[in-house]
Amino acid sequence: MSNNSISVVCGDNKTELSFTLKDSANAVVNITGFTIRFAIRKQGAVANTNNANNTCTLVSPTLGVFKYSFVSTDLPSSGTYLGQLIITFTDSKIHKVPVFLKIQAIESYV
């Protein structure tokens, strides 16, 4: 499991995650034409919470930069969620990054 973790308040729809895709030699990957999704699942659950909104936005494809923007239904209750990147290359091959990000969802105080 990755050591990457963040905390987000349940129902937040302003949080954005920015990523840069690099290869094993740490060189930037040109993601032009790629489809990248960010699946979110509560730890221990069998279904993702963001199937309707899991596509990332390619920000600067030639520099490998993309982002995921949370919507209010991504983290419906407090607890630990796991985020996984699913990358579809231009040749239709798919790479699923194992547990990439641990998300701690916190109830709102207001």
Side-chain angles (χ1 to χ4, degrees):
M1 175 183 273
S2 170
N3 290 329
N4 296 329
S5 64
I6 62 168
S7 294
V8 178
V9 175
C10 295
D12 183 12
N13 62 358
K14 180 64 176 166
T15 299
E16 290 184 345
L17 302 175
S18 286
F19 304 96
T20 301
L21 187 63
K22 296 183 178 184
D23 64 18
S24 59
N26 207 32
V28 169
V29 175
N30 181 342
I31 58 174
T32 301
F34 287 23
T35 299
I36 304 175
R37 295 175 290 136
F38 184 67
I40 300 172
R41 179 177 295 190
K42 192 163 191 177
Q43 193 166 25
V46 295
N48 296 338
T49 58
N50 70 330
N51 284 333
N53 176 59
N54 65 10
T55 303
C56 294
T57 302
L58 304 184
V59 176
S60 184
T62 58
L63 299 176
V65 180
F66 60 99
K67 70 178 180 179
Y68 178 76
S69 301
F70 281 83
V71 297
S72 61
T73 56
D74 284 351
L75 307 170
S77 61
S78 63
T80 301
Y81 291 77
L82 303 174
Q84 180 181 46
L85 288 172
I86 300 121
I87 303 165
T88 304
F89 295 84
T90 54
D91 62 2
S92 299
K93 291 187 178 179
I94 296 173
H95 174 63
K96 296 178 182 178
V97 180
V99 179
F100 181 78
L101 182 66
K102 184 176 174 181
I103 304 163
Q104 190 62 45
I106 303 164
E107 290 293 332
S108 176
Y109 297 134
V110 292

